Each structure stands twice: as C-alpha cells, then as structure tokens.
C-alpha cells in the first residue's frame, strides 16, 4: 500500500512520514529487484506473483518517481519544521517566524524544484533511475504539483495566528525584540512600548508596574537582560505554548506509567508520578532521607499495628487431602 501515492486526495498514511518516503527513495533499486524476483518466484501462487508484478510496474514508472520526489522535498521541509516546533525553548514569536519561513520555502517549490524532484525529473528524462529502467504507466495520474503545493501551503497557513485577537498578542510580544526597535530610541521616547506591555499584563494578569519599570531600564541600557529586570514578563513570553508537543509528551508518559499491570493507580498517584518524572531530579541527585522519614512517621510500614496482620496459615496435612485425591 505504500506505493499508492496517487492523486492529492489519494495519498496514503505512510506518505505523510518523511522517513518512510526517504527509505523508498534510498532503497528504490532493492525494492524493484525484490518485486521483480518475487513476481517470477515459482514457489508463490499466481495471485501473489501478479501482485508483485503490479507493484514492480508501479514503482518503475516515471509518474510514481516524480510523485515520490515531490513528497520527499515537501515532507523533508515539514519534518524540519515539526522538530523545531517541538522544542521546549521555542517562543511564540520564533514559532511564527519558522512557520512563515517554511511557507515561503514551499511556495518557492512551484517555480524552483527541490533537490529530490530535480533528481527525479532528470531520471525521467533519461528513463533510468538507480540502474532501473523506467516504463510509463498509463494507469497512473501524476500529482498536480501546483495544486498540491497550494493545498499544503493553505493548510500550513491555517496554523498561523490569523484572527485579530491572536495577532494582537503576537504583535505586542514582538515589542521585546530589540532588533525591531527604532534606531533613534533615546531618553525622549522612554515610554516606547508601554501600551503593548500594559495590554499583555492585563490579559495574562502580570504585574504591570514591575514590567513597565523593567522595560524602561532596558531602554536606558539595552545590555540589561530581560530575564533579570522583567522576570515575570519574561517567563510569560518563554512559556506561552506554541504547539501541542508538551501535551503529547504528557500523554505518552502517562501511558508508560499506567500500564496494564498498574491499572489500579489512582489519579492522584498517577499525577504525582508524572510530576516526579517530568520535574524531578535524577536518581543520583535525589535526596531520599526526607521522604523515607515522612513514610516512617506516618506508620507506613509492614509492622504497623494499625494495619491488618498477615496470618501464617499452616498447610493442610496429607490426610485431609486424601479424600480429594480419591475423587481425582
């Protein structure tokens, strides 16, 4: 099924993985040879041989190769963007910049072909790719490159902050970017950026006076760190979520902790274990004395008299079981 790239609306799930399509590209010759040998293998039934023969014809067609090259170029760009957006240190401003940059790259593919598509185009002109002779397949319809890229760009733009309220937040946050400040900023415009700071403080309930005072210090001396003079405001900018990566990490961690063998964990205990896993120190730096002392003080021991004692039951004698053995 991974060979069925087809039209825009027929792209299969595996084509959305950059690694998968790159493996097909890298192992192209091996796949063709494998399908070719399998199609003539007498140990396989006729239906299986026909299936491999069809896969071989599809794989060795210029139509498929061009689609594969396009997918490799686009998915490579999207995978780079995805990895960037998963970084914990990424701010909202940086995320917006990276998405805009990726959009421009994808738009450029309409006029200037990417690396993989260029190689695929050259191979189709020679009708040979990695020592495999290409043969046209009239049953295959090429992906409309311009239509595909337009659809991809439109979907990517939907990830951007496009409504008025979100855009105002982003524009206000950009006030901390010193590189965007006027070149003639001096003592005369000491109140520069004051309205933007006030709007953000009001929306996110940050101390307005501390933020404005710290911002004025930076205007006077641009070598001062935002983190030092505006710690609360700085934390707001740095911790504003720009993707769902952290939530997905949390769900993965929850699944790792709450397994089938530990399904009786309460929500409170599960939350505590997740908190320790995410925020706790490594074992070699974890001081256990306080926790062990607290455990002992609360009588959480096997010898606690307030808990039910285990009664050692004497095993039944052989005489008591003889009547049962006779039945068996």
């Amino acid at each position: 099924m991974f060979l069925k790239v087809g039209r825009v609306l027929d792209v299969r799930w595996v084509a959305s993985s950059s690694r998968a399509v790159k493996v097909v590209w890298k192992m192209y010759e091996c796949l063709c040879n494998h399908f070719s040998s399998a199609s003539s293998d007498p140990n396989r039934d006729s239906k299986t041989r026909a299936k491999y023969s069809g896969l071989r014809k599809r794989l060795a067609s210029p139509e498929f190769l061009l689609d594969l090259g396009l997918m490799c170029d686009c998915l490579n760009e999207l995978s780079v963007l995805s990895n960037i957006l998963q970084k914990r240190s990424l701010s909202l401003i940086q995320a917006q910049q990276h998405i805009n940059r990726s959009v421009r790259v994808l738009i450029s593919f309409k006029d200037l072909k990417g690396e993989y598509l260029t190689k695929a185009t050259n191979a189709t002109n020679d009708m040979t790719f990695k020592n495999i002779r290409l043969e046209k397949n009239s049953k295959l319809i090429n992906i409309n490159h311009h239509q595909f890229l337009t659809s991809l760009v439109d979907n990517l733009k939907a990830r951007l902050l496009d409504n008025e309220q979100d855009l105002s937040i982003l524009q206000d946050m950009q006030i901390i970017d010193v590189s965007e400040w006027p070149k003639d900023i001096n003592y005369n415009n000491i109140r520069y950026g004051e309205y933007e700071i006030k709007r953000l403080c009001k929306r996110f309930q940050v101390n307005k006076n501390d933020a404005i005072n710290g911002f004025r210090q930076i205007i006077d001396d641009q070598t001062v760190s935002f983190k030092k003079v505006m710690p609360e405001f700085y934390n707001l900018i740095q911790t504003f979520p720009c993707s769902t990566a952290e939530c997905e990490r949390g769900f993965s961690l929850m699944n790792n902790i709450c397994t089938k063998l530990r399904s009786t964990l309460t929500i409170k205990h599960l939350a505590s274990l997740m908190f320790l896993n995410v925020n706790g120190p490594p074992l070699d730096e974890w001081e256990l004395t306080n926790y062990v002392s607290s455990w002992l003080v609360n009588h959480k021991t096997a010898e606690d008299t307030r808990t039910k004692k285990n009664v050692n039951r004497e095993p039944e004698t052989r005489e008591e079981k003889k009547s049962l053995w006779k039945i068996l």
Side-chain angles (χ1 to χ4, degrees), residues 160-203:
L160 297 171
L161 301 177
D162 52 0
N163 62 65
E164 184 177 350
Q165 185 178 15
D166 291 340
L167 280 176
S168 65
I169 295 175
L170 182 63
Q171 291 169 358
D172 290 343
M173 285 184 175
Q174 289 176 340
I175 199 66
I176 68 171
D177 188 359
V178 179
S179 62
E180 298 294 331
W181 287 5
K183 295 182 179 180
D184 58 346
I185 189 170
N186 51 35
Y187 294 101
N188 296 328
N189 48 6
I190 188 64
R191 296 183 61 191
Y192 173 77
E194 185 174 305
Y195 294 107
E196 290 84 350
I197 298 294
K198 285 182 178 180
R199 281 196 296 266
L200 289 173
C201 290
K202 181 180 180 180
R203 177 174 177 81

Side-chain angles (χ1 to χ4, degrees), residues 20 46 52-53 73 130 141 156 167 194 196 231 233 251 264 276 287 316:
S46 58
Y52 279 110
S53 177
D73 285 329
K130 294 189 176 183
I141 301 176
L156 197 56
L167 280 176
E194 185 174 305
E196 290 84 350
F233 191 86
F251 283 118
T264 57
L276 289 174
E287 181 57 50
E316 297 178 348

Side-chain angles (χ1 to χ4, degrees), residues 10-156:
D10 291 336
V11 178
R12 289 300 182 260
W13 63 270
V14 76
S16 63
S17 170
S18 177
R19 286 179 296 180
V21 293
K22 284 183 178 179
V23 167
V24 176
W25 179 276
K26 184 177 181 180
M27 306 300 294
Y28 186 86
E29 183 178 3
C30 295
L31 287 171
C32 284
N33 293 333
H34 170 68
F35 292 154
S36 180
S37 61
S39 63
S40 58
D41 186 358
N43 296 325
R44 303 177 188 270
D45 57 73
S46 58
K47 184 177 180 180
T48 303
R49 291 198 302 269
K51 178 180 179 180
Y52 279 110
S53 177
L55 290 173
R56 170 65 171 76
K57 291 179 180 179
R58 180 180 291 271
L59 186 65
S61 64
E63 294 83 5
F64 176 84
L65 184 60
L66 290 173
D67 291 347
L68 181 63
L70 176 64
M71 297 298 289
C72 284
D73 285 329
C74 294
L75 291 174
N76 181 65
E77 184 63 30
L78 293 177
S79 65
V80 172
L81 176 62
S82 176
N83 290 331
I84 292 175
L85 294 179
Q86 292 178 36
K87 293 181 179 179
R88 287 191 171 100
S89 59
L90 191 71
S91 66
L92 183 63
I93 299 174
Q94 294 171 333
Q96 184 87 342
Q97 292 172 348
H98 284 295
I99 295 176
N100 278 321
R101 191 176 299 117
S102 295
V103 167
R104 297 203 308 270
V105 171
L106 293 174
I107 292 176
S108 70
F109 285 158
K110 293 182 179 181
D111 301 320
L112 183 62
K113 297 176 182 178
E115 175 187 359
Y116 289 95
L117 185 56
T118 300
K119 292 180 180 179
T121 303
N122 294 335
T124 54
N125 293 334
D126 299 333
M127 293 303 287
T128 303
F129 182 66
K130 294 189 176 183
N131 301 321
I132 300 298
R133 185 66 183 173
L134 302 179
E135 297 179 3
K136 291 188 176 182
N137 192 332
S138 58
K139 295 182 179 180
L140 295 181
I141 301 176
N142 276 106
I143 293 177
N144 187 313
H145 292 189
H146 282 263
Q147 182 181 351
F148 176 79
L149 290 170
T150 300
S151 177
L152 191 59
V153 168
D154 290 341
N155 281 278
L156 197 56

